[in-house]
Amino acid sequence: MTPSQPDLSSTPWLGRLHGPQGWQAAHGGTVAVDEPATGAVLTTIGLADAEDVDAAARSAHAAQAAWAATPFDQRAAVLRRAEALLAERAERFRHWNVREAGSIPPKADWEWMATREQLSMAAALPMQPIGQVFPSAMPGRRNEWRRVPLGVVGVIAPWNFPLLLAMRSVAPALALGNAVLLKPDVQTPVIGGALIAELFEDAGLPLGVLQLLPGGPATGDAVVRHPLVKMVSFTGSTAVGQSIGETCGRLLKKCALELGGNNALLVLEDADLDAAASSGAWGAFLHQGQICMQAGRHLVHRSVAAAYADRLATRARALL
């Protein structure tokens, strides 16, 4: 089934970003969102600049304390409502994943389901133990440590699995009482950002706790360097990840990096070649090979190399 063109007149993000007052104009202007398959303009969204990042970080910092003080069961309830709304809006998310991210419908469906799982797992986090008590040599005293929210977390998400790879950082950060600045890739700001902000607002998350800052490298750099951002979660290229890791290390910030790989598939002489070719095609061609664990090198024993190549080519031709 080919998704139909959405009604853009009702989209709250048209030319905007999501800040402490909800959907608002961006100082960085707007950016067109193109469909990779046709080059057609699908919509426009606000483009965040350094001024927007600074305002978002300050307002998120102000909103975070009250959110962290919210009882754990109420924070969990917001996550569960977000998961329920995601289930209800399956076709809306599917449409934008296909049109904006260039996903085929089965990939979009898998990403939607995996994102639901992330929300479900995150909703259970606030109910977990948050510390431990240790014995003390001093009578009447005890040693205790507790996990506490960091404050404001910056999430920089990529364009290939924009919904899932944003939500897997956004959801647990929110569940545990943090505020989040979400910077989706400028190529996928709707499925990787606007729909997520809309989802949490409708689920009852207080304004200011999650803010959307679409933009390019300059926007991401401003998020990473802002003094009120205490942790950065980045998914993307190795080169950019190295730079972010270096900056966070110098500023003594926590960071979580998932970077691109150059992965090898090994096919030995006793392999089941049909199974190997099936795995090889999946690893090489999933989402046009635009994934961080893509099997870009197939190292095949010379005794079965020709037979394996024939089987892999047959599967590749079936994709055309």
Side-chain angles (χ1 to χ4, degrees):
M1 179 176 65
T2 301
S4 58
Q5 180 67 27
D7 177 13
L8 295 182
S9 63
S10 62
T11 54
W13 64 76
L14 196 62
R16 299 175 179 177
L17 50 73
H18 196 270
Q21 283 79 49
W23 297 102
Q24 59 190 60
H27 290 97
T30 62
V31 62
V33 180
D34 297 332
E35 182 175 35
T38 65
V41 175
L42 296 173
T43 186
T44 62
I45 199 162
L47 186 65
D49 63 8
E51 185 177 352
D52 291 310
V53 172
D54 181 61
R58 292 178 185 279
S59 57
H61 175 72
Q64 184 268 331
W67 174 242
T70 300
F72 73 92
D73 56 337
Q74 294 181 29
R75 281 186 274 121
V78 171
L79 273 292
R80 288 196 296 271
R81 284 195 294 271
E83 193 273 331
L85 289 172
L86 180 62
E88 293 175 9
R89 299 173 183 180
E91 183 54 35
R92 180 173 172 82
F93 278 83
R94 184 184 200 237
H95 174 95
W96 282 100
N97 209 332
V98 171
R99 298 295 298 275
E100 184 186 41
S103 302
I104 61 172
K107 181 266 187 184
D109 291 341
W110 179 89
E111 188 174 353
W112 167 80
M113 179 56 70
T115 304
R116 287 188 59 186
E117 292 174 346
Q118 290 292 321
L119 282 165
S120 179
M121 290 187 288
L125 289 176
M127 303 178 190
Q128 300 302 309
I130 60 171
Q132 286 185 316
V133 176
F134 296 95
S136 172
M138 300 292 292
R141 296 187 180 184
R142 67 180 185 179
N143 297 315
E144 176 182 296
W145 67 262
R146 291 187 299 150
R147 295 186 179 93
V148 297
L150 284 168
V152 180
V153 175
V155 176
I156 302 176
W159 49 266
N160 57 345
F161 280 73
L163 175 61
L164 174 61
L165 298 183
M167 191 66 79
R168 70 172 181 183
S169 294
V170 169
L174 293 176
L176 295 175
N178 298 284
V180 174
L181 305 184
L182 172 59
K183 192 211 82 67
D185 191 286
V186 74
Q187 299 174 86
T188 50
V190 177
I191 185 64
L195 293 184
I196 295 173
E198 183 182 59
L199 189 77
F200 278 106
E201 183 177 6
D202 293 346
L205 185 71
L207 288 175
V209 176
L210 172 64
Q211 302 196 40
L212 174 66
L213 299 166
T219 307
D221 187 64
V223 170
V224 171
R225 295 178 184 275
H226 199 283
L228 292 177
V229 174
K230 301 303 182 183
M231 179 178 179
V232 176
S233 173
F234 170 78
T235 306
S237 73
T238 300
V240 175
Q242 288 174 327
S243 176
I244 290 174
E246 179 183 358
T247 300
C248 288
R250 191 166 58 250
L251 298 175
L252 298 179
K253 294 187 180 189
K254 293 179 179 291
C255 67
L257 308 174
E258 185 198 345
L259 311 180
N262 184 8
N263 309 295
L265 174 71
L266 301 180
V267 183
L268 304 182
E269 56 187 327
D270 60 347
D272 178 334
L273 294 185
D274 288 327
S278 176
S279 297
W282 176 264
F285 304 135
L286 174 62
H287 198 39
Q288 299 77 249
Q290 300 169 133
I291 56 175
C292 56
M293 60 276 200
Q294 183 242 16
R297 294 174 293 144
H298 297 202
L299 306 180
V300 186
H301 194 278
R302 62 169 54 90
S303 67
V304 295
Y308 174 80
D310 286 342
R311 286 168 170 79
L312 187 62
T314 296
R315 289 184 176 274
R317 283 192 290 269
L319 298 174
L320 300 177

